[in-house]
Amino acid sequence: MVANGKLEHMYISILENKKNRKMKKLQFNYSKITLLLGLIIISMVSCERDLSDDAVTSGFSTEGDIFIDTFVAMGSDFYLPFAGSKLDAFSVDEETGYESSASYRVDVPNANDPTGNYAGAILRVDGAGRDLSGFDALTFWAKASQGANLAEVGFGLDFIEDKYNAAANSISIGTNWAKYVVPIPVASKLLNERGVFWYAAGTQETGGSGYTLWFDDIKFEKLGTIAQPRPAIRNGNDDTETSFIGVNFVLDGLSQTVNLASGLDQTVVAAPSYFEFTSSDPSVATIDELGLVNVIGSGTTVITATLDGLDAQGSLTLESLGNFTPAPIPTEDPSNVISIFSDTYTNVPVDFYNGYWEPFQTTLSADFAVEGNNILNYTNFNFVGNKFSNPTVDATDKSNLHIDMYIPGELPSLFDFLISVVDFGPDQEDGGGDDTRQQIFVSEADVVAESWISLDFPITITRDNLGLIIYENINFATLDNFYLDNVYFYGIPTGPSDAPEAPTEDEVANNVISVFSDEYTDIGNDGLNNFASGSLLSVETIASNQVLKYSNLNFTGLEFLGPNIIDASDSTTLHLDIWSPDANELKIKLVDFGPDGGFGGGDDTEYEINFGATAIGEWVAYDIPLSDFVGLASTEHLAQIILVNAPTGTLFVDNLYFYN
């Protein structure tokens, strides 16, 4: 059975990364499944009651027991598993219990179980909630078939508001019965709580092997031994972050730590609604009871909090830089894109954008959105990964990687940035022995601070099972913070699908001398691919327009000899349209044979202009003043136009002409 309501991403991705908080434009759809569990028929809740914190509490049960050998006052529709969980992992064990013969049994599946790779669910009271204000802790007894780690366990999840969620993380469960305590951060707030128990358990600690958990005597208690409360926000750190007007995010790192009767401390992750928040300058940013920070102006504010009257350790100093400049909107055709992270395209399924790889990674995520534009924000950076392996990505026909990057503040004194693209190979497993990796180095010369930089790289490795992009500082680089947007693979078309813009010069009035154009009458020539370095020339029709296609082009000469020699002395400009899928270095040379009209007569002059790398995958129009060819003695006896595309590549040429 699946719940009618929201599910926080941290529970969906719990086996891979319990800290990963955001997957851009990734939606999860929940379907209704009915389970027969022993004698309990479980069905979906058809209606909900909405009650405020101020509602009269006399009608709500103060019953604290949840499961004491059987379920206590839970109703019939109470078992709601998380998305991705093995739906039938739960049962009532009639043979094993804590000082009894019955317990709540959870069979955690193997990591490769096709019906679900972990066990996780909430227990929600079917009907009106419970008044738990008289208790100070959730307690339960538990054991496992082998030593295991219970990833998360707590209360306050109801798949409706999840307003007062609280959970203990990474609870070690042994093979003998033991009692566990999850303290309530502020009991007075639990006046009508339906989410009374939840858990999530995987196989990270068991090498992927399944095992069994047993719970018993699950209940709320007034222990009276909970002491030394120490609330915290931002994990107890005094953090500083830059932001922009329009950014909104939920304050993170919220917890309550107490001392138990055992003398040990227990920390629970606490929902924002337990806290009272303060922004020192509400004109810069506000924060509501759900911990949602809204940046509304420029300047600096400090966000702090209290919990049950106690100052929380930690703070967030927010420096708003004003209005945000978004990354350039991508223009690639969606059919030619495999998107990992972009609001412009539909993203493939992503495991995580930050794997929080222990123990060496320090990188944290402070992702934000401005007017619906989502941005990956990496802080305290050393390395981080984007993983997309379920399934892997077949980018065989996508030859390039695009990334938009923004570095706030000043460029660090040491900058050396490495991007690694990893293909998992036929086994589709990271580290399976058949992986291939391409490393892309980004130097200080490739970036600027306080501006979006578009990075495009050819991907040369086998790319039919891409699964990972890694970003890292190398060579002691000190980059600490950067934003990413529009991370996608794309293919470069091998040829244009449209014609260049038709020229508008009047052939007579502008003294047009056309070498090749459908718009004009072409002059004679002695070859448009002479003394070439192995290039091939073909004339192709594209959008009802003829163009010259040079394949395998390094250089080629277009020749005009004898009666075909070009007298461009009355012209001022050379025009040509260029389209290339792979242009690296475009050069154009004009050669004038001089008054004798012959090659090598002693009066030849020439000059070459280097345009560098031309734009790829689009028509580029060049209008070159003949005066720029400063080495030419004259343009009265032009005999050669030499095109260079170094080192080699493909070049489409159209509308090659001289004009005044």
Side-chain angles (χ1 to χ4, degrees):
M1 174 165 299
V2 182
N4 272 340
K6 65 181 181 180
L7 180 61
E8 298 293 335
H9 290 165
M10 63 184 290
Y11 310 123
I12 297 173
S13 62
I14 189 162
L15 295 183
E16 187 65 55
N17 169 24
K18 66 184 175 65
K19 298 181 182 177
N20 194 27
R21 297 181 295 277
K22 175 169 174 280
M23 287 192 171
K24 192 171 191 182
K25 301 177 72 174
L26 194 60
Q27 302 294 324
F28 297 90
N29 298 316
Y30 308 117
S31 60
K32 294 184 177 181
I33 303 173
T34 303
L35 303 178
L36 179 64
L37 304 174
L39 301 177
I40 303 172
I41 299 176
I42 301 190
S43 60
M44 293 302 300
V45 174
S46 59
C47 62
E48 309 291 350
R49 293 179 63 186
D50 296 319
L51 294 162
S52 70
D53 291 344
D54 297 324
V56 177
T57 62
S58 60
F60 300 121
S61 171
T62 57
E63 175 63 66
D65 293 349
I66 308 301
F67 183 94
I68 312 293
D69 302 331
T70 188
F71 292 99
V72 180
M74 292 294 293
S76 60
D77 301 336
F78 58 82
Y79 175 75
L80 305 168
F82 295 134
S85 167
K86 185 176 177 63
L87 298 177
D88 59 354
F90 153 71
S91 63
V92 176
D93 192 326
E94 301 289 352
E95 298 181 355
T96 302
Y98 169 66
E99 297 183 341
S100 69
S101 60
S103 62
Y104 184 110
R105 174 171 173 158
V106 178
D107 291 303
V108 181
N110 295 330
N112 60 357
D113 191 319
T115 64
N117 63 4
Y118 77 107
I122 72 169
L123 300 185
R124 183 177 72 187
V125 177
D126 180 15
R130 298 187 185 184
D131 181 356
L132 303 176
S133 61
F135 306 106
D136 58 14
L138 167 71
T139 68
F140 58 91
W141 288 79
K143 73 170 187 174
S145 59
Q146 65 179 83
N149 211 43
L150 182 59
E152 297 182 280
V153 62
F155 57 89
L157 282 185
D158 56 17
F159 289 161
I160 303 170
E161 289 186 303
D162 303 337
K163 190 173 182 179
Y164 295 115
N165 179 35
N169 297 332
S170 194
I171 304 297
S172 179
I173 308 293
T175 56
N176 296 316
W177 286 105
K179 187 175 183 178
Y180 299 88
V181 178
V182 183
I184 300 175
V186 185
S188 61
K189 293 184 177 287
L190 303 184
L191 302 176
N192 177 28
E193 182 58 59
R194 296 182 63 193
V196 291
F197 186 69
W198 72 270
Y199 59 88
T203 57
Q204 302 97 317
E205 307 296 327
T206 60
S209 297
Y211 55 92
T212 299
L213 286 170
W214 291 271
F215 298 103
D216 204 356
D217 287 8
I218 307 171
K219 60 185 176 181
F220 289 87
E221 292 189 76
K222 181 68 174 181
L223 299 176
T225 55
I226 304 292
Q228 302 174 17
R230 285 151 284 162
I233 65 174
R234 301 293 291 191
N235 298 314
N237 301 318
D238 294 316
D239 295 331
T240 299
E241 290 184 4
T242 58
S243 192
F244 303 90
I245 295 172
V247 169
N248 57 82
F249 61 93
V250 176
L251 193 70
D252 60 0
L254 279 58
S255 66
Q256 169 76 303
T257 300
V258 299
N259 190 256
L260 304 179
S262 64
L264 299 176
D265 284 342
Q266 178 63 63
T267 298
V268 295
V269 177
S273 294
Y274 285 111
F275 293 79
E276 301 292 331
F277 299 103
T278 300
S279 171
S280 66
D281 190 345
S283 69
V284 176
T286 61
I287 180 168
D288 65 15
E289 65 168 335
L290 300 179
L292 181 65
V293 178
N294 285 287
V295 183
I296 58 178
S298 302
T300 300
T301 188
V302 181
I303 294 173
T304 55
T306 62
L307 188 146
D308 205 20
L310 296 176
D311 290 337
Q313 184 178 355
S315 64
L316 174 61
T317 299
L318 200 62
E319 299 176 352
S320 173
L321 304 180
N323 292 317
F324 179 72
T325 301
I329 298 174
T331 58
E332 297 289 338
D333 189 317
S335 65
N336 197 38
V337 170
I338 297 175
S339 180
I340 307 302
F341 183 89
S342 178
D343 289 313
T344 300
Y345 305 111
T346 300
N347 300 316
V348 299
V350 173
D351 304 333
F352 54 73
Y353 294 105
N354 187 344
Y356 297 96
W357 293 320
E358 297 177 342
F360 302 111
Q361 179 184 322
T362 63
T363 307
L364 301 175
S365 289
D367 306 331
F368 60 88
V370 183
E371 297 180 350
N373 181 26
N374 293 285
I375 304 295
L376 295 176
N377 180 18
Y378 295 117
T379 63
N380 201 33
F381 173 72
N382 64 340
F383 62 88
V384 72
N386 306 155
K387 189 175 183 181
F388 36 94
S389 62
N390 292 302
T392 56
V393 167
D394 184 358
T396 304
D397 61 344
K398 307 295 184 284
S399 57
N400 286 64
L401 170 66
H402 176 93
I403 297 171
D404 287 323
M405 183 178 186
Y406 186 103
I407 300 173
E410 296 181 357
L411 200 66
S413 56
L414 293 174
F415 183 93
D416 208 350
F417 191 74
L418 177 65
I419 303 171
S420 297
V421 180
V422 185
D423 187 281
F424 289 172
D427 69 358
Q428 301 184 1
E429 294 290 335
D430 186 14
D434 56 355
D435 300 8
T436 55
R437 177 183 299 242
Q438 180 178 342
Q439 294 183 324
I440 302 165
F441 297 91
V442 182
S443 69
E444 184 177 353
D446 300 318
V447 298
V448 296
E450 300 286 349
S451 180
W452 283 103
I453 303 299
S454 293
L455 303 172
D456 291 88
F457 311 101
I459 304 301
T460 57
I461 59 171
T462 301
R463 49 188 183 274
D464 52 356
N465 285 291
L466 295 176
L468 187 62
I469 302 174
I470 302 171
Y471 315 92
E472 58 185 306
N473 277 331
I474 59 174
N475 298 327
F476 307 102
T478 57
L479 178 65
D480 181 71
N481 180 208
F482 65 95
Y483 312 148
L484 290 184
D485 199 3
N486 301 319
V487 181
Y488 58 84
F489 298 95
Y490 67 100
I492 297 178
T494 58
S497 59
D498 58 348
E501 185 176 347
T504 58
E505 284 79 27
D506 182 90
E507 186 169 5
V508 176
N510 296 106
N511 193 32
V512 172
I513 303 172
S514 178
V515 176
F516 187 89
S517 176
D518 283 352
E519 299 298 318
Y520 305 117
T521 302
D522 298 336
I523 62 173
N525 64 80
D526 293 274
L528 300 180
N529 190 38
N530 292 355
F531 56 88
S533 62
S535 66
L536 300 175
L537 172 62
S538 61
V539 178
E540 298 196 354
T541 300
I542 298 173
S544 302
N545 179 72
Q546 288 190 320
V547 300
L548 301 175
K549 178 185 179 182
Y550 293 94
S551 304
N552 195 38
L553 175 65
N554 176 253
F555 68 88
T556 186
L558 292 71
E559 288 200 299
F560 314 90
L561 307 175
N564 295 325
I565 206 161
I566 299 172
D567 181 1
S569 58
D570 291 331
S571 300
T572 61
T573 309
L574 170 65
H575 177 93
L576 74 164
D577 295 313
I578 297 291
W579 194 103
S580 178
D582 51 16
N584 295 299
E585 188 177 27
L586 176 65
K587 301 177 183 179
I588 300 173
K589 179 188 288 188
L590 295 183
V591 182
D592 188 285
F593 279 2
D596 69 3
F599 174 72
D603 55 356
D604 300 8
T605 57
E606 63 183 48
Y607 192 81
E608 181 177 78
I609 296 176
N610 190 339
F611 292 96
T614 189
I616 292 175
E618 62 183 74
W619 284 105
V620 180
Y622 290 94
D623 287 276
I624 312 164
L626 293 180
S627 58
D628 288 356
F629 296 89
V630 295
L632 289 178
S634 79
T635 57
E636 191 176 352
H637 309 92
L638 294 176
Q640 293 176 344
I641 302 174
I642 299 174
L643 301 177
V644 179
N645 185 24
T648 59
T650 300
L651 199 65
F652 292 83
V653 180
D654 197 7
N655 301 317
L656 175 57
Y657 59 87
F658 299 87
Y659 72 99
N660 186 5

